[in-house]
Amino acid sequence: MSATTFAGSAQFAAASILGSGGTVAAAVVAAALLNARYAPVSVTVAGEFKGSFLRRLAEAQLIVDESWALARRQDGSYDRGLLLGGGLFLYVCWVGGTALGAVAGDALG
């Protein structure tokens, strides 16, 4: 799930719902509602994304709260390179941390 849902709050909500016996539908709805905040965030940076629809869609997956905040310039624009680079760095760390926890979590705890 970490590789396909790059949003900690959505993952924790889904895991909590499923872990307490909730349905997959409830978990998906909760995750979607938590991620709805990315719609207005994406609107603020939409002007920075150029190219084909598929390229913009792929790059938009790297917009997370942290990279969005880091990429904001004082003039109100956004640094696209920092937005995407920060998002990619965070994605690698998030998925890598999840993999490390899955493989060696018992040894670390």
Side-chain angles (χ1 to χ4, degrees):
M1 185 174 184
S2 287
T4 61
T5 307
F6 184 34
S9 60
Q11 289 183 39
F12 289 126
S16 176
I17 290 167
L18 294 172
S20 64
T23 65
V24 171
V28 169
V29 169
L33 288 172
L34 282 165
N35 285 337
R37 74 182 187 280
Y38 287 117
V41 167
S42 297
V43 169
T44 66
V45 297
E48 304 299 327
F49 290 84
K50 309 293 183 216
S52 71
F53 173 77
L54 289 178
R55 177 181 175 168
R56 290 181 288 133
L57 181 63
E59 291 176 346
Q61 303 311 303
L62 297 174
I63 301 170
V64 292
D65 301 328
E66 297 83 1
S67 65
W68 178 74
L70 287 172
R72 173 125 172 139
R73 296 179 181 148
Q74 287 188 357
D75 67 1
S77 65
Y78 290 86
D79 182 320
R80 181 179 173 275
L82 188 54
L83 181 69
L84 296 178
L88 182 60
F89 176 77
L90 291 166
Y91 178 80
V92 169
C93 289
W94 183 258
V95 174
T98 301
L100 180 62
V103 171
D106 290 338
L108 297 174

